[in-house]
Amino acid sequence: MHFQWYPGHMTKARRMMQENIKLIDLIIELVDARIPLASRNPDIDELGRGKARLILLNKADLAEERMNDVWVDYFREKGYSAVKVNSKKGGGIKSIQTVIQEACKEKTERDRKRGILNRPVRAMVAGIPNVGKSTFINALAGKACARTGNKPGVTKGKQWIRLNKNVELLDTPGILWPKFEDQAVGLKLAFIGSIKDEILQTEELAAELIRFLQKSYPQALTDKYGIQMSEDVYQCLSEIAVKRHCLVRGSELDTEKSASILLEDFRSGRLGRITLESPDGNDGHKENESRKGRDK
């Protein structure tokens, strides 16, 4: 499969971020805890040079807890502030305002020395589509002040949100980058739903997910569907179709429907807590050179 999805509004969003970066003290970058590297847009590192940085591993409840801790350590070693959160259920949200102040303490101290007191920290919330930015902002603000949705591309323009006298947030649309140099990155983004399903081949994508589960989580399909993992990934899709009564024209199996069920069960966490990549690259995703050059 070849993955590429860069609608016109993403070019506009990137330009808007460039124009507003001078107003910003801190970039809060949300990544998906299941794919913390693949869900990082390398453009954000380029746009955010010289700015304080906070990386939030969102949807941490869907990823392995042990791997969440590994990834937090990884990002902190790179020089970022890093916190794991579950924006939907509020996990880790209470600590965020303290973390924001800590990440910006050098800026606050510079302001103090220049006689600037009580100026709020201005933070840009950034990340790829469907990573949960609006849900995070709503959880942090304690009210529905940013639109949310379970499809990529809900936030189309910028929104300033004043949390309190200490913090103002700039919500931005989710943007991908124009070209995936590593198609393994595109595959993982497709798994979590950051590329629109309408442009993907559902059965082929589900088959790739089964191949990953065979290697890293061999019990997942047995525990969820009561089927045995088979080397024939399409046989697995057929068995899921049998278990979930996915039929067309009487008795013919609807493997496209079973593929959709599998992907939705993964995305919602019903297959269990699953992490798709590790910092050492044992998952098959290695940090590419273009990204390495942009890390702190």
Side-chain angles (χ1 to χ4, degrees), residues 148-194:
T148 61
N150 59 1
K151 291 185 177 181
V154 170
T155 303
K156 289 294 195 294
K158 68 177 181 180
Q159 302 181 71
W160 277 103
I161 297 110
R162 187 176 180 88
L163 291 184
N164 51 45
K165 65 179 182 179
N166 297 317
V167 180
E168 293 178 355
L169 297 181
L170 175 61
D171 186 19
T172 61
I175 56 171
L176 293 171
W177 48 109
K179 184 180 179 183
F180 299 140
E181 295 176 10
D182 182 351
Q183 285 295 299
V185 172
L187 180 63
K188 290 169 188 172
L189 293 172
F191 283 160
I192 67 167
S194 287

XYZ file of all heavy atoms in Angstrom, residues 148-194:
366
model
N -14.736 18.898 18.716
C -14.105 17.578 18.725
C -14.782 16.688 17.702
O -15.909 16.918 17.288
C -14.211 16.906 20.107
O -15.595 16.726 20.430
C -13.542 17.737 21.183
N -14.084 15.654 17.313
C -14.649 14.688 16.373
C -13.731 13.496 16.269
O -12.573 13.560 16.649
N -14.256 12.376 15.748
C -13.428 11.186 15.628
C -12.958 10.978 14.197
O -12.617 9.879 13.797
C -14.194 9.948 16.118
C -15.475 9.714 15.335
O -15.775 10.462 14.407
N -16.211 8.686 15.698
N -12.963 12.077 13.419
C -12.449 12.017 12.058
C -11.342 13.045 11.915
O -11.410 14.117 12.519
C -13.554 12.321 11.032
C -14.614 11.223 10.944
C -15.591 11.529 9.831
C -16.604 10.401 9.689
N -17.559 10.665 8.591
N -10.312 12.736 11.120
C -9.244 13.714 10.924
C -9.763 14.955 10.225
O -10.588 14.882 9.334
C -8.224 12.967 10.052
C -8.969 11.838 9.435
C -10.059 11.476 10.402
N -9.277 16.131 10.674
C -9.601 17.361 9.980
C -10.788 18.124 10.520
O -11.379 18.921 9.803
N -11.174 17.901 11.785
C -12.321 18.617 12.346
C -11.999 20.087 12.563
O -12.787 20.962 12.241
C -12.797 17.957 13.661
C -13.818 18.842 14.367
C -13.411 16.594 13.368
N -10.831 20.383 13.147
C -10.439 21.776 13.384
C -9.877 22.353 12.094
O -8.855 21.907 11.599
C -9.376 21.868 14.498
O -9.895 21.255 15.675
C -9.036 23.310 14.807
N -10.554 23.359 11.529
C -10.154 23.907 10.235
C -9.387 25.226 10.359
O -8.623 25.592 9.495
C -11.389 24.134 9.358
C -12.038 22.846 8.849
C -11.138 22.100 7.882
C -11.894 21.039 7.102
N -12.380 19.955 7.921
N -9.603 26.002 11.424
C -8.933 27.290 11.585
C -8.372 27.425 12.983
O -8.544 26.543 13.815
N -7.697 28.546 13.237
C -7.092 28.708 14.559
C -8.131 29.222 15.561
O -9.074 29.913 15.202
C -5.902 29.651 14.493
C -6.257 31.103 14.193
C -5.007 31.958 14.225
C -5.355 33.417 13.956
N -4.171 34.277 13.978
N -7.931 28.880 16.831
C -8.776 29.354 17.911
C -7.888 29.701 19.100
O -7.078 28.879 19.510
C -9.754 28.263 18.374
C -10.681 27.709 17.322
C -11.591 26.659 17.932
O -12.492 26.964 18.703
N -11.365 25.407 17.584
N -8.035 30.911 19.659
C -7.357 31.253 20.902
C -8.284 30.920 22.062
O -9.460 31.264 22.040
C -7.013 32.745 20.955
C -5.739 33.105 20.239
C -5.622 33.688 19.021
C -4.405 32.886 20.711
N -4.286 33.845 18.690
C -3.523 33.368 19.721
C -3.866 32.325 21.879
C -2.138 33.316 19.845
C -2.480 32.269 22.006
C -1.639 32.765 21.008
N -7.757 30.243 23.071
C -8.528 29.884 24.258
C -7.772 30.359 25.490
O -6.604 29.985 25.681
C -8.763 28.361 24.354
C -9.610 27.870 23.165
C -9.459 27.997 25.660
C -8.858 27.043 22.200
N -8.407 31.201 26.298
C -7.792 31.672 27.540
C -8.200 30.709 28.651
O -9.366 30.644 29.038
C -8.235 33.092 27.862
C -7.500 33.692 29.059
C -7.917 35.144 29.282
N -7.224 35.721 30.428
C -6.050 36.318 30.376
N -5.416 36.422 29.222
N -5.485 36.827 31.468
N -7.226 29.953 29.172
C -7.523 28.999 30.243
C -7.717 29.716 31.573
O -8.645 29.448 32.324
C -6.394 27.975 30.382
C -6.216 26.972 29.247
C -5.133 25.983 29.609
C -7.525 26.248 28.954
N -6.800 30.627 31.848
C -6.823 31.413 33.090
C -5.840 32.566 32.906
O -5.346 32.787 31.792
C -6.467 30.543 34.314
C -5.170 29.771 34.093
O -4.174 30.321 33.612
N -5.172 28.489 34.431
N -5.529 33.265 33.960
C -4.626 34.423 33.829
C -3.196 34.010 33.507
O -2.380 34.849 33.104
C -4.653 35.255 35.116
C -4.095 34.542 36.336
C -4.140 35.440 37.566
C -3.527 34.735 38.780
N -3.546 35.587 39.980
N -2.891 32.714 33.658
C -1.508 32.253 33.456
C -1.250 31.608 32.097
O -0.101 31.538 31.668
C -1.124 31.246 34.552
C -1.149 31.853 35.931
O -0.683 32.970 36.128
N -1.695 31.121 36.897
N -2.299 31.110 31.436
C -2.082 30.333 30.210
C -3.130 30.670 29.155
O -4.331 30.694 29.441
C -2.136 28.810 30.491
C -1.905 28.025 29.190
C -1.119 28.400 31.540
N -2.659 30.933 27.925
C -3.527 31.050 26.761
C -3.086 30.011 25.734
O -1.892 29.818 25.509
C -3.436 32.449 26.148
C -3.985 33.544 27.041
C -3.837 34.930 26.425
O -3.214 35.022 25.343
O -4.329 35.895 27.025
N -4.063 29.343 25.115
C -3.764 28.290 24.151
C -4.210 28.700 22.757
O -5.268 29.316 22.584
C -4.490 26.989 24.521
C -4.146 26.307 25.846
C -4.971 25.037 25.989
C -2.654 25.996 25.942
N -3.399 28.348 21.767
C -3.783 28.502 20.365
C -4.001 27.110 19.797
O -3.055 26.328 19.668
C -2.693 29.236 19.579
C -2.929 29.363 18.064
C -4.201 30.144 17.771
C -1.729 30.017 17.391
N -5.252 26.795 19.490
C -5.581 25.508 18.869
C -5.330 25.629 17.370
O -5.663 26.645 16.756
C -7.048 25.164 19.141
C -7.416 23.767 18.649
O -6.496 22.944 18.445
O -8.617 23.505 18.484
N -4.743 24.605 16.771
C -4.439 24.636 15.343
C -4.986 23.385 14.675
O -5.142 22.346 15.318
C -2.912 24.700 15.106
O -2.297 23.526 15.671
C -2.314 25.945 15.726
N -5.264 23.459 13.377
C -5.724 22.261 12.663
C -4.636 21.193 12.630
O -3.442 21.499 12.660
C -6.016 22.778 11.246
C -6.107 24.261 11.377
C -5.205 24.634 12.511
N -5.045 19.951 12.566
C -4.073 18.862 12.440
C -3.445 18.862 11.062
O -4.139 18.990 10.054
N -2.130 18.752 11.024
C -1.468 18.703 9.717
C -0.509 17.519 9.648
O 0.199 17.203 10.591
C -0.703 20.005 9.388
C 0.320 20.364 10.480
C -1.664 21.148 9.149
C 1.251 21.516 10.083
N -0.533 16.861 8.493
C 0.479 15.862 8.162
C 1.579 16.584 7.384
O 1.580 17.799 7.268
C -0.146 14.741 7.338
C -1.177 13.882 8.083
C -1.888 12.945 7.102
C -0.525 13.075 9.191
N 2.514 15.846 6.847
C 3.572 16.468 6.059
C 3.444 15.962 4.628
O 2.893 14.890 4.381
C 4.951 16.207 6.658
C 5.298 14.807 7.051
C 6.186 13.968 6.442
C 4.802 14.069 8.192
N 6.268 12.774 7.106
C 5.431 12.804 8.181
C 3.871 14.355 9.197
C 5.163 11.823 9.139
C 3.610 13.378 10.157
C 4.247 12.139 10.124
N 3.942 16.740 3.650
C 3.605 16.461 2.255
C 4.031 15.102 1.727
O 3.383 14.553 0.866
C 4.333 17.580 1.491
C 4.484 18.668 2.488
C 4.680 17.991 3.813
N 5.127 14.549 2.247
C 5.599 13.275 1.693
C 6.122 12.385 2.805
O 6.979 12.789 3.578
C 6.723 13.536 0.668
C 7.208 12.265 -0.017
C 8.310 12.580 -1.020
C 8.810 11.311 -1.695
N 9.916 11.571 -2.629
N 5.583 11.161 2.882
C 6.100 10.184 3.843
C 7.319 9.506 3.224
O 7.198 8.743 2.267
C 5.048 9.113 4.175
C 3.795 9.666 4.790
C 2.557 9.169 4.429
C 3.853 10.679 5.738
C 1.393 9.671 4.997
C 2.700 11.188 6.304
C 1.469 10.684 5.937
N 8.517 9.793 3.768
C 9.716 9.166 3.225
C 9.737 7.674 3.537
O 10.302 6.881 2.806
C 10.960 9.850 3.813
C 11.078 11.307 3.379
C 12.247 12.006 4.039
O 13.065 11.317 4.683
O 12.342 13.235 3.899
N 9.120 7.292 4.654
C 9.065 5.896 5.058
C 7.604 5.473 5.048
O 6.793 5.979 5.820
C 9.670 5.760 6.470
C 9.712 4.327 6.957
O 9.127 3.449 6.287
O 10.308 4.083 8.017
N 7.245 4.540 4.166
C 5.851 4.123 4.067
C 5.380 3.382 5.322
O 4.177 3.266 5.562
C 5.644 3.266 2.824
C 5.622 4.081 1.539
C 4.439 5.032 1.462
O 3.287 4.611 1.471
N 4.718 6.335 1.396
N 6.324 2.877 6.144
C 5.934 2.266 7.420
C 5.276 3.296 8.325
O 4.394 2.975 9.123
C 7.156 1.651 8.115
N 5.702 4.562 8.208
C 5.080 5.647 8.976
C 3.639 5.830 8.516
O 2.707 5.911 9.323
C 5.872 6.962 8.816
C 5.117 8.131 9.439
C 7.254 6.829 9.441
N 3.426 5.887 7.194
C 2.082 6.026 6.652
C 1.174 4.888 7.081
O -0.013 5.095 7.381
N 1.729 3.680 7.134
C 0.949 2.516 7.552
C 0.451 2.681 8.984
O -0.724 2.446 9.289
C 1.802 1.252 7.428
C 1.143 -0.075 7.825
C -0.038 -0.373 6.916
C 2.155 -1.219 7.771
N 1.328 3.109 9.876
C 0.938 3.272 11.279
C -0.085 4.392 11.448
O -1.018 4.287 12.256
C 2.174 3.533 12.141
C 3.061 2.310 12.268
C 4.388 2.655 12.893
C 5.320 1.455 12.830
N 6.682 1.798 13.267
N 0.086 5.472 10.680
C -0.895 6.552 10.726
C -2.259 6.071 10.241
O -3.298 6.473 10.766
C -0.415 7.734 9.887
C 0.820 8.472 10.415
C 1.313 9.488 9.386
C 0.522 9.167 11.739
N -2.250 5.202 9.247
C -3.509 4.632 8.760
C -4.143 3.729 9.815
O -5.361 3.731 10.006
C -3.261 3.850 7.468
N -3.320 2.943 10.526
C -3.837 2.073 11.584
C -4.646 2.867 12.617
O -5.710 2.441 13.046
C -2.691 1.366 12.323
C -2.077 0.213 11.588
C -0.794 -0.234 11.935
C -2.741 -0.452 10.573
C -0.210 -1.307 11.280
C -2.170 -1.528 9.909
C -0.890 -1.951 10.265
N -4.119 4.031 13.040
C -4.770 4.763 14.135
C -5.867 5.704 13.639
O -6.562 6.326 14.443
C -3.754 5.556 14.988
C -3.136 6.705 14.183
C -2.691 4.633 15.573
C -2.367 7.704 15.036
N -6.029 5.835 12.302
C -7.110 6.645 11.770
C -6.746 8.073 11.450
O -7.634 8.918 11.313
N -5.454 8.388 11.306
C -5.049 9.759 10.986
C -5.037 10.038 9.490
O -4.818 11.170 9.072
C -3.657 10.047 11.573
O -3.751 10.190 12.974
